[in-house]
Amino acid sequence: MPNSSDCEQHPENTEQTETIPIADLEPSLALPPPPPEDEWRPIPEHTNVDASRFPFSLYGIIPVILGIFSLLLLMLCGFFGYQYFQSVQESQSKMKSFNQWNESFQNKDENFLQVQKALDQNKEILEWILNQNEYLTEALRELNAKQGDRCGPPLSHWVKYRNHCYHQTLKMVSWSECSDLCVALNATFLNMERHRLMNIMRHLAVNHTWLGLSYHEEDNQWKWKDGSLPSLGLSLPEPSTDFQGKCVYANMHSVGTDNCTTSFSCMCEKPVY
């Protein structure tokens, strides 16, 4: 059985297609209208001035820039010139100081050479003096060994001053025992002050050494054993009852006071024989 769709027939298109030319669709190009008469007038002269304003302003700025640059360059040259001048002055000052130091050193060197030359010239004289000194010292030792010292035998630690000899005992006792100790040495306890004696006592007294000087309560005075008063040169303190039982000692630098029962050395004396 035949298909119904196949039996259907399409109707034929009997309409005719109208062809439109392309040239007819494009509109015709129209020429622009002529410019108005005002636009064809000549350009005024002032327009040339406005057109050249920028070049003239640029030409004016360039000299200013060059002037500023020149000024900066001049300032820079001045600064470096000043620094160079300062360095030259400092170098000259240092060179001057060095020359002065060199001259001073040369002068010292010359003085040293002169001193050395003088020492070399006097070398023989100094050697002769040393030899004579050794000879005299040896001769003095031999003389003392044969005859003895006027204050006693050699190495007895006696010192002569004018017409007396003085001795600082090695044994240390109280002030009241110094008299007996000096008697045992065939001498007496230092009992009076002689002219400039205390100046020598300060050199003799290596340590604290009793002198025959003590405080007397009955008349409130410092007195020697012979009853004489000490000189002001001893610089003793003002006597008072506070010094009861005090005695006077000497050392290398001064004199002082202490309890008479304290054990010190004793200063003994005897006449020269």
Side-chain angles (χ1 to χ4, degrees), residues 7-268:
C7 293
E8 291 180 1
Q9 295 181 355
H10 296 283
E12 294 180 0
N13 189 3
T14 58
E15 294 181 359
Q16 295 181 355
T17 303
E18 183 179 0
T19 302
I20 301 174
I22 297 175
D24 294 340
L25 295 176
E26 294 180 356
S28 59
L29 297 174
L31 295 175
E37 295 180 358
D38 296 339
E39 293 183 3
W40 292 99
R41 293 179 182 179
I43 299 174
E45 294 181 358
H46 68 274
T47 56
N48 294 332
V49 176
D50 295 338
S52 61
R53 182 179 300 172
F54 177 74
F56 276 115
S57 61
L58 182 61
Y59 294 151
I61 291 174
I62 291 175
V64 174
I65 295 175
L66 292 177
I68 294 174
F69 180 76
S70 300
L71 182 60
L72 292 176
L73 184 61
L74 183 62
M75 292 174 62
L76 189 62
C77 292
F79 173 75
F80 283 108
Y82 176 76
Q83 293 294 329
Y84 175 76
F85 179 74
Q86 290 291 106
S87 62
V88 170
Q89 284 188 338
E90 291 179 359
S91 300
Q92 291 178 353
S93 177
K94 291 181 180 179
M95 183 61 68
K96 184 178 180 180
S97 300
F98 176 76
N99 292 333
Q100 292 178 353
W101 177 83
N102 191 19
E103 291 178 359
S104 176
F105 179 78
Q106 290 178 354
N107 293 332
K108 291 181 179 179
D109 190 20
E110 292 177 357
N111 294 334
F112 176 76
L113 293 176
Q114 292 177 358
V115 172
Q116 186 176 7
K117 184 178 180 180
L119 290 176
D120 293 338
Q121 292 176 353
N122 297 328
K123 184 176 181 180
E124 295 181 358
I125 299 175
L126 292 175
E127 290 179 354
W128 180 83
I129 292 175
L130 291 175
N131 293 332
Q132 292 296 321
N133 186 28
E134 292 178 358
Y135 172 76
L136 293 175
T137 302
E138 186 66 24
L140 182 60
R141 289 176 180 175
E142 292 179 359
L143 181 62
N144 289 334
K146 292 179 180 180
Q147 298 181 356
D149 192 88
R150 297 186 65 187
C151 288
L155 304 179
S156 60
H157 305 290
W158 287 88
V159 177
K160 179 180 176 297
Y161 175 69
R162 293 190 176 182
N163 57 350
H164 280 77
C165 299
Y166 300 92
H167 173 67
Q168 179 186 5
T169 63
L170 299 178
K171 186 177 180 180
M172 303 178 70
V173 296
S174 64
W175 186 85
S176 60
E177 296 174 326
C178 283
S179 296
D180 296 336
L181 182 60
C182 290
V183 169
L185 298 174
N186 295 324
T188 58
F189 188 30
L190 182 63
N191 57 10
M192 64 177 297
E193 182 179 357
R194 295 181 178 86
H195 178 64
R196 297 182 60 185
L197 175 61
M198 294 313 302
N199 293 333
I200 297 177
M201 289 298 102
R202 293 191 181 100
H203 294 287
L204 293 178
V206 178
N207 48 24
H208 289 1
T209 303
W210 285 126
L211 304 178
L213 185 62
S214 61
Y215 174 75
H216 289 250
E217 184 180 1
E218 58 274 9
D219 49 6
N220 191 28
Q221 291 288 341
W222 295 103
K223 287 186 178 181
W224 289 95
K225 288 182 69 67
D226 65 348
S228 61
L229 298 178
S231 64
L232 298 177
L234 293 180
S235 301
L236 291 173
E238 289 292 331
S240 66
T241 56
D242 296 336
F243 293 101
Q244 184 178 359
K246 300 288 185 179
C247 297
V248 179
Y249 65 85
N251 55 30
M252 293 183 64
H253 304 288
S254 61
V255 295
T257 62
D258 204 339
N259 293 326
C260 297
T261 57
T262 307
S263 296
F264 288 151
S265 301
C266 302
M267 186 63 66
C268 303

